[in-house]
Amino acid sequence: MNNREFGRRGERDAARYLKRNGYRIVGRNVYVGRVEIDIIARDGEHLLFVEVKTRHQVPGESLYGRPADALTPAKRHNMLEAATRYIAENPDAVGDLSPRIDAVEVYVDPNKKRHKVLDIRHFKNVVHPRRRI
């Protein structure tokens, strides 16, 4: 399995997790300009822009740090800009919902012959805009 397919499977797992936890998936792999938003979801209060990071590892035992550590300042900036632009271009989709940028970490079995989810962690409000989006 190549990295793109691995990431897509993690995004699928994250979407399932969010659905099980009461979120409605609005879109997946949505491009806003040149930036891809992995998942757009909503609940009763929020419109979520979700970045998914997937790793072959046991939680806490990675040579590369936690998956959410890959949310560099540049990535966070791009997520904020994409969310802001999405809101401007889709005001009816937002309505009275409060926008929020979240991250979901998906940990899968290090045995690369199978894709078995070991753990999923949802981090809310990972990007704190200086301006309201």
Side-chain angles (χ1 to χ4, degrees), residues 22-133:
Y23 295 93
R24 185 169 69 87
I25 304 304
V26 175
R28 289 184 50 196
N29 309 116
V30 176
Y31 278 87
V32 180
R34 300 168 83 190
V35 177
E36 179 187 17
I37 300 171
D38 294 333
I39 299 172
I40 300 175
R42 62 183 294 164
D43 63 9
E45 299 177 44
H46 300 97
L47 181 66
L48 280 66
F49 300 91
V50 182
E51 177 68 15
V52 179
K53 294 297 181 186
T54 308
R55 297 290 185 269
H56 276 123
Q57 66 189 47
V58 177
E61 296 183 14
S62 173
L63 296 173
Y64 305 107
R66 291 183 31 228
D69 293 340
L71 295 175
T72 64
K75 179 63 178 176
R76 290 172 191 258
H77 173 78
N78 287 341
M79 290 173 67
L80 179 59
E81 291 301 315
T84 301
R85 186 170 170 185
Y86 180 89
I87 290 165
E89 293 174 358
N90 301 281
D92 293 339
V94 179
D96 293 337
L97 298 174
S98 177
R100 189 174 80 203
I101 299 174
D102 290 2
V104 173
E105 295 179 337
V106 178
Y107 295 91
V108 298
D109 189 326
N111 177 356
K112 296 182 181 184
K113 294 180 183 174
R114 60 183 179 175
H115 185 91
K116 178 183 176 191
V117 176
L118 299 174
D119 194 16
I120 296 179
R121 297 178 183 177
H122 180 188
F123 297 91
K124 298 177 181 178
N125 207 27
V126 297
V127 177
H128 305 284
R130 292 185 183 168
R131 66 186 189 281
R132 179 154 172 76
I133 59 172

Side-chain angles (χ1 to χ4, degrees), residues 1-9:
M1 171 183 337
N2 64 36
N3 287 343
R4 175 177 235 115
E5 176 60 24
F6 179 70
R8 294 285 187 235
R9 284 189 181 189

